Amino acid sequence: MMADEIKQAHYWGLVAFFNRGKNSDSNGTLKVEESAIGGFSEFADLSGESTPNYLTFLETETVSEVRPDGKEEQEDSDDLYQANGSPLFARVPKFSRREQFVKQVVRDHPRLALAFVNRIWAILMGRGIVHPFDEMDSMHRPSHPELLEWLAEDTRQNHYDLKRLVRGIVRSQAYQQTSVRRAGLEDPASFAWYLERPLTGEQLARSVMVALRGSADSDVVGAFRQQFPEVLPETYVSTIKDALFLSNGSILQKAIEESNHPDHLIPKHLEMESRDEQIRSLFSRLFCREPDATEMEVVATYLDARKERSVEALQQVVWSMITSAEFRFNH
Amino acid sequence: MSKRGCGSPEHLIHRRLFLEGTMAGASASAASFSGQFSIPAFAKTTQRAAKKCILLWLCGAPSQFETWDPKPGVETGGPFGSIPTSLPGVHISSLMPQCAGIMDKLAVIRSMSTKPSEHFQGIDALTRGDTPRPPFTRPILGSVISQQLGQIDSPVPQFVLLDPCPEGNEFKSFKAGNWAGWLGAEYGPVRAGGDYSIPNLDRLDSISDLDHEDRETLRQFLSRKFENDQRSDAAGALNASFQRVRGLMSCAPLFDLNQLPEEDRNRYGRGAFSQHVLQARHLIENGSTFVMVANGMPWDNHVYQHEMHQMLVPELDNVLFQLVTDLDQRGLLEDTLVIAMGEFGRTPWLNEARGRDHYPNAWSLAMAGGGVDGGVVNG
């Protein structure tokens, strides 16, 4: 939201929905408890005029609530809380501001369905109909407003049926476009080709392990996640630090070197007697395709030049494949 | 308001062309930075002189009142006085005594007026030169300057961003953006900072230098094929960053602050921002074209702005003084433009929390060197 679309009352309203929470560790377990009283204040605008902090959220009606008069002290008592609470959980006020907030959002907030479908669309399609998907405001207009509205309406009417929405999108022609961008296509917001997207840090770490060892178990997930923290980036940005991490970092190198069990990728391929078979199999395992003639020749030349240290040579070829764009992107 | 000898008419034009370039956001010009630099006479001049630039990016937006444009005595003027400078008649904030002594080398614009009043839009407009133009992404100032004036085949990175936390912190979403825009990823910045070094710059012992190079060549061959077959910009960006690895490795010592004299490090001050400004000088001396020094987003003082500025401004005062003086003494100031600016200014009035809020209507920035006349105060 842009600042001029958010009023002071929205800011203080949002504060009020949450300002009765407090940490408690009664019975030895940490929990967030909500008080049934307090949290009333006023805010002043630039002219000095003050307004109560009503329970106000964007684009919905203010939640009504009994406010104490003037300096009247409110007294906390068990009557104000739901009776059937468990000692394991924090007690819940009969009138819970936080619950009111949730209702404001999930009970047909005008933006809920729009935000919901836009986010799912972004996850599946690589960018939102409103892009970035989490900035749905006057600055960021939908590329296809009718489509967004239509999907939102359908989702609303079908009680936010996620499966229905996902099914609808993945069965569309737009989703099934080739990832090869045809000449003349420039604007990713046209969804005229399948937008390639980087694997997340975790996907990359696990994919590397599947390639090297045939199992997604990986002790390098943490390091990769830290290096590649983005999950749904607005645009893919490749930094030289990422390249350095993969080129000179010990994490990937160690993972490659330690994948030395007879069942693993590199030992298995070392045993293959035919250079042809070896390279074809590597491409099949790492790129899921056949190499073309030039690729065959280039990789064979690389390996042949290093016959005396075939383990290192094969490790280097595998490195160059798993750090290449074809492995890095979902396409 | 004062002006000192503006120099020749050629200088006047020169300066105006440059200002149009740096401040296109202010004048709502439709042209990009590269558009500005395509003015042939200007491009030729700057290239001949191998111009360079250091941008002290005061992210969050400093107050003009506590820096270049004090208004002591008025109700909202704040507790700090003004002091005279080496320019007769010109006063700046008393928090900036060192810069006051070199005002004859600085050019201060007090009449900046821009549109966006929110950080990310402001940063975008001021660093990219204009508001967004989807689907294209405008390149950032440093990308344009390094593309136009830099040496693309130099192993020394032409555009460097220094920040205590180059990948994260408050202006993270900006930093995560596409900096080089339509110029392509090879013109994006090399980011460093925090520990004053770049991780993984050294080759592992397990691979020889020759194999390291050949392995990368093989990687580029496979990866370029994918980039071309798919016509993939994302793959292009990936390949561009790998392509810079070997060059950057060859100038690793440049990023090691410990190799700089202890005396210099103390003179600039031991804070991250100060050390980065020193590092910027070092990089510029050794062949970088554009160094942007940021410091997270400390200037956004909606709360207790006087107390915050009391800490921040003296640091700025010192590093700007040290930097401009060093460049001058080393004969580099003529060809190196130093800019100290944020994305807008602060309100003349104080809010309830004794802070100043965003104010793009009238604010200040300072420049020195690079052919811009010193001793000029505009507005």
Side-chain angles (χ1 to χ4, degrees), chain B residues 238-266:
Chain B
L238 180 84
N239 292 332
S241 36
F242 271 95
Q243 192 148 39
R244 293 161 73 177
V245 162
R246 302 245 338 143
L248 193 60
M249 286 168 68
S250 74
C251 51
L254 266 185
F255 288 89
D256 182 5
L257 254 195
N258 290 319
Q259 303 205 0
L260 286 174
E262 198 63 9
E263 189 271 329
D264 278 8
R265 298 188 67 181
N266 289 332

Side-chain angles (χ1 to χ4, degrees), chain A residues 244 246-250 252-254 256-257 302 306 309 311-320 323, chain B residues 200-219 245-246 249:
Chain A
L244 285 166
L246 297 171
S247 298
N248 296 335
S250 58
L252 177 59
Q253 185 58 32
K254 207 162 149 251
I256 292 175
E257 283 170 11
Y302 194 96
R306 291 164 179 77
R309 42 203 174 93
V311 179
E312 276 174 53
L314 198 56
Q315 285 174 349
Q316 289 164 14
V317 169
V318 167
W319 176 89
S320 70
T323 55
Chain B
N200 300 317
L201 265 187
D202 295 325
R203 177 173 50 80
L204 290 170
D205 291 335
S206 53
I207 187 167
S208 71
D209 191 48
L210 192 63
D211 274 2
H212 189 276
E213 188 169 10
D214 283 357
R215 186 183 71 163
E216 175 54 26
T217 308
L218 177 62
R219 203 208 68 80
V245 162
R246 302 245 338 143
M249 286 168 68

Side-chain angles (χ1 to χ4, degrees), chain A residues 227-264:
Chain A
Q227 186 67 35
F228 308 99
E230 296 288 353
V231 175
L232 266 179
E234 184 178 338
T235 36
Y236 170 69
V237 175
S238 167
T239 72
I240 193 161
K241 280 192 182 171
D242 296 344
L244 285 166
F245 171 83
L246 297 171
S247 298
N248 296 335
S250 58
I251 305 274
L252 177 59
Q253 185 58 32
K254 207 162 149 251
I256 292 175
E257 283 170 11
E258 288 177 0
S259 297
N260 53 7
H261 186 274
D263 286 345
H264 290 164

Side-chain angles (χ1 to χ4, degrees), chain A residues 1-4 44-46 48 135 139-140 179-188 196 227 229-230 234-250 253 257 283 287 289 292 294-295 298-299 302 306 309 312 316-317 319-321 323-326 328-329 331, chain B residues 118 121 132 134-137 166-167 172-173 175-179 185 189-193 197-204 206-208 210-212 214-216 218-219 221-223 225-227 229-235 237-239 241-242 244-245 248-249 349-352 357:
Chain A
M1 296 295 274
M2 309 294 294
D4 53 2
D45 64 17
L46 282 175
E135 288 186 47
M139 267 287 284
H140 303 90
S179 62
V180 177
R181 179 162 65 94
R182 278 165 289 144
L185 293 179
E186 292 290 343
D187 188 355
E196 77 281 80
Q227 186 67 35
E230 296 288 353
E234 184 178 338
T235 36
Y236 170 69
V237 175
S238 167
T239 72
I240 193 161
K241 280 192 182 171
D242 296 344
L244 285 166
F245 171 83
L246 297 171
S247 298
N248 296 335
S250 58
Q253 185 58 32
E257 283 170 11
F283 271 72
F287 290 166
R289 67 170 172 87
D292 68 18
T294 326
E295 285 169 332
V298 168
V299 175
Y302 194 96
R306 291 164 179 77
R309 42 203 174 93
E312 276 174 53
Q316 289 164 14
V317 169
W319 176 89
S320 70
M321 291 178 78
T323 55
S324 82
E326 193 161 349
R328 181 78 184 81
F329 295 99
H331 54 91
Chain B
E118 289 181 63
Q121 284 78 26
F136 306 104
T137 307
E167 312 300 336
K172 175 173 186 185
S173 63
K175 284 190 286 198
N178 180 354
W179 282 46
V190 166
R191 299 160 185 236
S197 66
I198 297 177
N200 300 317
L201 265 187
D202 295 325
R203 177 173 50 80
L204 290 170
S206 53
I207 187 167
S208 71
L210 192 63
D211 274 2
H212 189 276
D214 283 357
R215 186 183 71 163
E216 175 54 26
L218 177 62
R219 203 208 68 80
F221 163 75
L222 296 168
S223 202
K225 181 175 182 308
F226 178 82
E227 176 189 342
D229 289 352
Q230 301 278 121
R231 299 166 39 81
S232 164
D233 292 340
L238 180 84
N239 292 332
S241 36
F242 271 95
R244 293 161 73 177
V245 162
L248 193 60
M249 286 168 68
W349 55 84
L350 299 176
N351 64 23
E352 295 278 304
D357 299 323

